[in-house]
Amino acid sequence: MRNLIVRPLCALIVLALSVPFAMSASAQTSILGPRNTSAVGAYLAGLAALENLEARRAASFFMQAAEKEWDNPIYVGQTFLAYLLAGQINDATSIAQHVLDLNPNDELARLTLGAVALKQRRYTSAEQILSRVPEASLIGVTAGIMRAWTAVGDGRTSQANAILETLGQGGFEDFLLFHRAIMADLGGDRAAAIALSTQAREMDPFVPRIAEANIRILANAGRFEDAQAVLDSFAEEGVEHPVVDSLRADVAAGRRPGLFAENVQAGAAEMLHGLGTALAQDGSIELGVGLLRLAAYLDPDSPVIALTLGELLSTFGRYEDADKLFASVPAGSPLHVTSLIRLAENYDLEGDRNIAISRLQNLITAYPENKEAYGVLGDLLRYDQRWAEAARAYTGIIDRLDPPRPRDWRFYYVRGIAYERAKHWGAAEADFLAALDLNPEHPDVLNYLGYSWVDRGENLTEALAMIERAVELAPRNGYIIDSLGWAFYKLDRIEEAIATLERAARILPANAEINDHLGDVYWSAGREREAMFQWRIAISVDDEGDVAERARPKLVNGLDPDAPIGD
């Protein structure tokens, strides 16, 4: 089976951390104290709002509960948390000290107060606040790195390094290496900054933020050839990022591009941005958003932080909040076009695909070299089954690949899908083969081309080998296993087809295509009653109707009009 819904591929380095963050509602309720129906009702309403990241609404409910029971640590703590997640840092700060009065172990409240002191350049105060957070927890590590930044701000670079040395013993060496580099850069230790940033990039060569820092540090030191070599390595790998690419003009012209972190606040914000992003992607959504909100507070002009936070909120349906963040990215930023693309995507997510498509078409007119705009437009047109238009959009990317790199396989693959669905098989087949030339072992491409050949009755031996390899690469992918079963069926290897399709149906029991295929194979094996059962399942679970339209006549005639039909 071909899986037609192929979302854009994204790469993200995620820290493998398990963070106990919030007690369950039942555990919290058990320590609420005297039951107050109104307060409890407001509290429960706040929990429901917070579940969907409706932080402002949640804060309003929690505050209603807290005002009735000002000494209840749960109500007050949740109010603080909601204010933080809403980005209302002043409100969160105003209640944070009371949170600590009620619960001295609340690390996030203490971290917030420390961030506020750092923002205000009260470095000694920040150090005192943050030093009271135990380093054993993730928030403790975060507070420790922030303490190191306060030491840099206070001119105590050696103490900053000592703090990071202690934290590095807990398994954060790679992450801290990057921060050592930008601390050294801000502190004026050029040699250390070059050595540390180069080491960090060599460990993670295609992480844009690390590469950007290394390029800036090298170029600021006048080492333009080395900076250009880093840029070239990105290009050779086919990796593109607007911020990294924006450095090309300065490096080529021999201009110093400026510091990665212009001040201590921006450096601490970068740390919160990195950890917050990793945590959110790893499932700790509330803590991730909280750290990103603090990052935006410390560095409110950072387009990277605004874009990251906006993308995260968008995934939770907080489109209005996300749109404000996207709209805050200034026209002069390398990420401006990216923010406009995200605004267009939000229109689609909110149900207005036509406006999203129109905006992306306008973006392509204004920025004809922006490959991401072509890609997102192609995806939306493909989801809308506007196959020919989708293929033209993907062509906008492919025409700008000079030359195609291994990472570019996806563009040929999705254009191949669009061509195949538009009934242009020759063009589709050429694109699938081009995708395999770039990435010979990708299971989706092997499966799609193999399945297409099987369905067309072409190159059956080669198609079967492709699909079998795809199953080896993705042994739990029900769509690919279905393709293998269908190939066995086309080759009249019925018993193997039955076993394989039954396996696919166990993985994806509510998939219409798989159940329809299994019904066909059962019928061919003389198991008419079971075939009828599978076809009925296929009809009942088919949301789009294509499979049902194909399966309904089988309930009357089976696969052979002259064959006896089971009940």
Side-chain angles (χ1 to χ4, degrees), residues 73 76-78 80 92 95-106 109:
V76 175
Q78 288 294 97
F80 156 76
I95 200 173
Q97 187 55 59
H98 186 51
V99 171
L100 291 172
D101 291 340
L102 298 173
N103 179 13
N105 296 322
D106 193 306

Side-chain angles (χ1 to χ4, degrees), residues 135 140-141 143-145 148 162-173 176:
E135 293 179 359
V141 172
I145 303 173
I163 293 170
L164 295 182
E165 185 69 30
T166 301
L167 294 173
Q169 297 172 8
F172 288 84
E173 293 90 343
L176 295 179

Side-chain angles (χ1 to χ4, degrees), residues 436-451:
L436 283 178
D437 282 341
L438 295 171
N439 192 342
E441 291 283 273
H442 199 287
D444 288 342
V445 187
L446 290 166
N447 171 62
Y448 205 108
L449 179 56
Y451 181 94

